[in-house]
Amino acid sequence: QVQLVESGGGLVQAGGSLRLSCAASGSILTINDMDWYRQAAGKAREMVATITRGGTTDYADSVKGRFTISRDNAKNSVYLQMNSLKPGDTAVYYCRADIRSSRTLVLNNFWGQGTQVTVSS
């Protein structure tokens, strides 16, 4: 069984910063791409940032220059540093990862439960 657990969400004023963390645990052999998504109320889920196992990153245009994704492969963790936050960044943030099980050797897609980020104006 594999789990992804996010932490670090909360309420912050516009212009402030938050750092989200996501840790994977369980029967893990390897983790390939890890991403952060977000879903605002009444809107579709969208990808915010992605990072490969080797550290190559990509970002949604709306967060480029403000958000930074990073990972620690030894800790099976991914992070999202969010700076210069805007009210439009308010959403539930989810981490996602492609994880190969150490028990079955099957590669599967896993999601965390989400963490709320609220940016006040």
Side-chain angles (χ1 to χ4, degrees), residues 36 49 57 59 63 65-70 79-83:
W36 286 97
T57 60
Y59 299 90
V63 306
R66 300 189 298 123
F67 290 11
T68 302
I69 189 172
S70 61
Y79 310 96
L80 186 68
Q81 178 65 44
M82 304 185 293
N83 298 329

Side-chain angles (χ1 to χ4, degrees), residues 2 12 21 26 35 65 69 92 102-103 109 119:
V2 172
V12 64
S21 299
D35 321 305
I69 189 172
V92 178
S102 59
R103 290 174 53 238
N109 176 32
V119 184

Side-chain angles (χ1 to χ4, degrees), residues 78-97:
V78 63
Y79 310 96
L80 186 68
Q81 178 65 44
M82 304 185 293
N83 298 329
S84 302
L85 282 161
K86 305 175 181 178
D89 295 318
T90 295
V92 178
Y93 284 71
Y94 300 88
C95 68
R96 189 210 69 82

Side-chain angles (χ1 to χ4, degrees), residues 11 13 24-25 30 32-33 52 59 96 108 117:
L11 173 64
Q13 287 190 330
S25 62
T30 57
N32 294 345
D33 291 356
T52 67
Y59 299 90
R96 189 210 69 82
N108 276 319
V117 171

Side-chain angles (χ1 to χ4, degrees), residues 4-10 19-23 36 78-80 93 95 113-115 117:
L4 294 178
V5 178
E6 300 106 334
S7 60
R19 185 176 189 249
L20 305 183
S21 299
C22 174
W36 286 97
V78 63
Y79 310 96
L80 186 68
Y93 284 71
C95 68
Q113 82 287 353
T115 185
V117 171

